[in-house]
Amino acid sequence: MSKYLVTGVAGFIGCFVAKSLAQQGHQVVGIDNVNDYYSVALKRDRLELLEGLPGYAFHELDLADQSGIADLFQGEQFDTVINLAAQAGVRYSLENPAAYVDSNLVGFLNVLEGCRHQQVGHLVYASSSSVYGANAKMPFSVHDHVDHPLSLYAATKKSNELMAHTYSHLYQLPTTGLRFFTVYGPWGRPDMALFRFTEAMVQGRPIDVYNHGKMRRDFTYIDDIVEGVVRVAERVPQANPDWDPESSDPGSSRAPYKLYNIGNHEPVELSRFIAAIETALGIQAEQHLMPMQPGDVPATFADIDDLSRDIGFRPQTTIEDGVAEFVTWYRDYYAV
């Protein structure tokens, strides 16, 4: 069994990745700064789900704390690091850009340095579908260049991929970046559409529907994301000896570096998404149609052929099933 560091363990994805690894018998150290970007109570309740798991330990620690992160790496000697801590949210990056630099750039550099100096065997890190930015070619492929981000959040995630490649090249640190596509499910983030729509509908308020409802998202259920992350963590990337610098494929390298999309490979119209919530709640939504927000994109669609080929996994959960699971959790958690 291996020893894992999971950063962002109070977060939506981090919590359940840590839980899965611990239940498989691995040693897991989780860290999180438990910031107040959204409900601290929800984050604390997620952490309670992990308490008492054999081989699991938690440290409240900020990625931007250079000496604290260095001491952690030196003291623990991790086999694999899964970096899921980040300042999330496209829209919040318009309001508080400094938070994204501290967490997503400075924090990620500290993780890279820890992995480098302690010779970690594999760094898996969260990227995002937002890196595709102004790309219009569908489905989004890791083999396409992503040079036109539309938000600072997206720019920091693209920067993470560039920083990881540098460390893979200079220090032979195996790194794998995972571009997540709209993750949802029980215990999900309150700033995401599923949570906000459900909350508004339960409270009898209208829902704000952006781009006048002409949106499509490759919604990906949390259980599928967790299985993908865990499987990828077990597959250490190798240098691609056939990589051609003249064609410059962004998805691999002569360094031990790899990128994958993790999405459902099924873009869902916003109307179908809202209908699934209405069915699960038994409530008709009052829709407030609004223009597109700055930094947003009209559609996402993941090409997951590389993920399927390399780790033999494709997400399967339908939006109707996943939304129903979320609504069941929401009603139970908030007693409504």
Side-chain angles (χ1 to χ4, degrees), residues 240-263:
N240 178 7
D242 299 322
W243 188 80
D244 182 358
E246 292 188 6
S247 64
S248 189
D249 172 18
S252 68
S253 172
R254 284 181 180 165
Y257 170 88
K258 193 68 179 174
L259 293 172
Y260 292 110
N261 289 331
I262 298 190

Side-chain angles (χ1 to χ4, degrees), residues 7 41 123 128 132 139 154 172 181-182 189 205 240-241 268 275 311 321:
T7 74
L123 168 62
S128 167
Y132 290 103
Q172 294 302 297
F181 281 69
T182 315
R189 281 173 28 206
R205 295 184 285 108
N240 178 7
V268 171
I311 69 168
D321 289 343

